[in-house]
Amino acid sequence: MNELDKIAMKKAIEESKINLMNHFKNGGPFGAVIVKDGEIISKAHNTVLENKDATAHAEINAIREASKKLNTHDLTRLYIIYKCRTLSYVFICNYLVEYKRSLLCKY
């Protein structure tokens, strides 16, 4: 694990704490960060309740943000770091994106 991985893991944990701080009004305590070429390009947290959207999990929100920022659906050279195990359909989305790698952080 390199220094960027550690920084990105801290950011994923910070994202997960956003909902903790507001007593889970917007969703569960989950966060995700996507990295490309040594730079964090997106970070997100769970907004299922806030958006009334069952697909608005942290990983999916991070994918959406990265795609918008990079103006492409092709995220194959990136990697994702997420806090907490992912649901099966979110795992499938992560698989379809074909990340270079993914890291799960626990605290």
Side-chain angles (χ1 to χ4, degrees), residues 63 88-99:
I63 289 169
S88 58
Y89 84 89
V90 176
F91 176 80
I92 290 167
C93 290
N94 289 337
Y95 175 78
L96 293 173
V97 170
E98 296 182 41
Y99 291 114

Side-chain angles (χ1 to χ4, degrees), residues 3-103:
E3 195 60 34
L4 179 60
D5 292 343
K6 292 176 185 175
I7 292 168
M9 282 189 175
K10 286 180 184 176
K11 293 285 185 192
I13 291 168
E14 287 172 15
E15 283 293 315
S16 73
K17 289 181 178 179
I18 290 172
N19 286 339
L20 178 67
M21 299 306 283
N22 69 24
H23 305 287
F24 309 109
K25 291 179 183 172
N26 297 332
F30 310 108
V33 171
I34 295 180
V35 177
K36 177 186 180 197
D37 298 331
E39 178 185 351
I40 294 172
I41 60 160
S42 71
K43 58 184 181 169
H45 59 277
N46 182 300
T47 59
V48 169
L49 300 176
E50 176 183 11
N51 295 336
K52 296 171 183 56
D53 178 356
T55 68
H57 291 263
E59 301 93 333
I60 303 300
N61 289 341
I63 289 169
R64 289 175 177 148
E65 185 179 320
S67 292
K68 283 181 187 175
K69 185 172 183 178
L70 298 173
N71 196 31
T72 183
H73 71 282
D74 183 5
L75 303 178
T76 54
R77 296 181 302 140
L78 288 64
Y79 70 95
I80 188 167
I81 295 173
Y82 50 95
K83 190 233 135 245
C84 207
R85 286 194 175 90
T86 187
L87 296 173
S88 58
Y89 84 89
V90 176
F91 176 80
I92 290 167
C93 290
N94 289 337
Y95 175 78
L96 293 173
V97 170
E98 296 182 41
Y99 291 114
K100 188 164 46 172
R101 67 186 177 124
S102 63
L103 301 171

